[in-house]
Amino acid sequence: MATQLKESGPLPRVAPENYLSREFARAENEHLWGKVWLIAGREEELKNVGDFLTFNVATESIVVARGKEGYVAYHNVCPHRGRRLADGCGRASQFRCKYHGWTFNLEGKNVQVQDRDDWDGALDDERLDLWPVRVDTWGGFVWINMDMEGESLAEYLEAIPEFLDPFELHEMRFRWKAELHLPVNWKVALEAFMEGYHVAATHPQLLTVAGNDYTQSFAQGKHAHFGYWKDVQPLGTSSPRLASNDQTDARAGVVEFFRQIEEDLNAIQTDRDFEAAKKIMDILPEGTDAMTAMVTAMELGREAALADGTQYPEKLTFEAMAKAGSDWHIFPNCVTLPYYDGAIWYRARPDSSDPENPDKCLFEVWSLKRYGPGKEPEVQTRVIKDPVNESLCLILDQDIANMAQVQAGMKSSKFKYARPNPVQEVELINFHRTLERYVLGQSRG
């Protein structure tokens, strides 16, 4: 059931130790990452038998592969001396340890021990196979869980499929991928995308075309979402925060909205949507209201997708989109903003090269898009190790610019706790309450 968490009594607070403490990071590694369902990758990365990828989080490494009977996942460690078996991604018919040659098939069975007779038969009573990891799929993503007991993925996702299945995320493919190495806690990075409260100050250029940017947010079990449900004002018009609406032509405001999202973010809406939106300047008369202009632009985007051989999500009605809202936090480490034609997906986790360091993380951004059959591009991950001097795109650069300042500012002797907005930042409040139950055994409240 959705809850807004705005309640009488003390307002919600978040302890800075959740971001800054090595002890808290160590407890996350022990009590969180091995107990939850995590996205390891996309199904499109594992198309054929033998395709594999590795997923590292905290001190653990998991190898996920396409086996003969479906997806399989194992702890990425040789039971002989502990060497990791696989790195990156690729295709293999078996996993062979490069240290001493022990070999395992795609079913995780040991098929080769070099000089096995040296053990004089004692190995027959030892565990030689790879340690399995639970694996499942939803939304076109491959999920893993290192805890062999506990809730299924369907149970873990709770209400998410009810809200997000109409978007047909499984029909989307990578448009681009970026991996950023950031000098901040993984939660600081993720939380930059868990509320819309920051838009007015961080992205002021959006206010001219974002309509009413005031958000409301609600918890959905361990997950949460926000949307623009109060005093809805059409996209393409200026925010009520501005003294005046500089867009005298609603058509131009709608086109400018699509331009900013395409050129300054390159995600959620698509290049196809932007090109289609431009046509409203020709087919709609001057003086057309903003809502008509936006709905027309969206319909033109649908027509363009169909012409490109891409099916549009039939169950994604205006009502279903309004119900879903704009942004979802999927506990613990993902955030998504979906649309008809595309989506942006964020994933954060500790830097596995230094997993107890609360000042380092790996942050990934995935732009997804619907493509016609065989039209999806070959996508390589762009790795950014110096985000201060290497631009990703305007909107994300603005978000990233806040992160290091937040991480540093929380170390001030005067910063005793964060004070999240009890209406617009429920994603963040619910996140920490749930996180603390995993890590500390109970929420700090």
Side-chain angles (χ1 to χ4, degrees), residues 119-283:
W119 278 264
D120 197 24
L123 278 183
D124 293 340
D125 298 323
E126 296 278 349
R127 179 180 176 88
L128 300 182
D129 299 336
L130 299 181
W131 288 274
V133 171
R134 284 198 288 167
V135 61
D136 206 342
T137 61
W138 173 80
F141 294 96
V142 181
W143 301 68
I144 59 96
N145 191 329
M146 291 174 263
D147 186 353
M148 298 305 290
E149 306 294 334
E151 58 192 340
S152 66
L153 177 60
E155 293 168 329
Y156 182 85
L157 291 174
E158 298 174 321
I160 286 174
E162 173 190 343
F163 288 88
L164 296 187
D165 275 355
F167 290 89
E168 298 181 352
L169 294 167
H170 61 282
E171 296 291 348
M172 297 182 187
R173 300 292 182 266
F174 284 121
R175 186 180 181 189
W176 56 264
K177 298 187 288 184
E179 174 186 294
L180 292 86
H181 295 249
L182 299 175
V184 303
N185 189 268
W186 67 274
K187 296 179 289 294
V188 167
L190 193 67
E191 288 169 10
F193 307 95
M194 286 171 58
E195 40 81 11
Y197 185 49
H198 73 281
V199 170
T202 299
H203 310 296
Q205 77 280 2
L206 292 175
L207 295 183
T208 61
V209 294
N212 190 345
D213 62 294
Y214 183 85
T215 63
Q216 295 170 291
S217 50
F218 297 89
Q220 298 284 351
K222 65 177 73 69
H223 317 288
H225 65 150
F226 78 72
Y228 299 86
W229 293 295
K230 184 177 181 180
D231 301 329
V232 176
Q233 186 173 316
L235 294 168
T237 61
S238 65
S239 167
R241 300 181 195 277
L242 300 181
S244 62
N245 186 350
D246 294 332
Q247 293 289 351
T248 57
D249 185 342
R251 301 172 304 166
V254 168
V255 174
E256 174 61 12
F257 168 78
F258 279 96
R259 185 205 66 78
Q260 287 196 26
I261 299 301
E262 173 56 25
E263 295 184 357
D264 298 340
L265 182 62
N266 200 18
I268 309 178
Q269 283 88 16
T270 68
D271 50 341
R272 187 165 51 215
D273 293 312
F274 177 37
E275 291 302 316
K278 294 177 185 178
K279 297 178 182 178
I280 66 173
M281 300 299 295
D282 297 321
I283 67 175

Side-chain angles (χ1 to χ4, degrees), residues 254 258 273 276-277 280 284 292-302 339:
V254 168
F258 279 96
D273 293 312
I280 66 173
L284 294 179
T292 299
M294 175 55 70
V295 170
T296 303
M298 294 169 71
E299 173 59 21
L300 290 170
R302 185 187 72 85
Y339 182 67

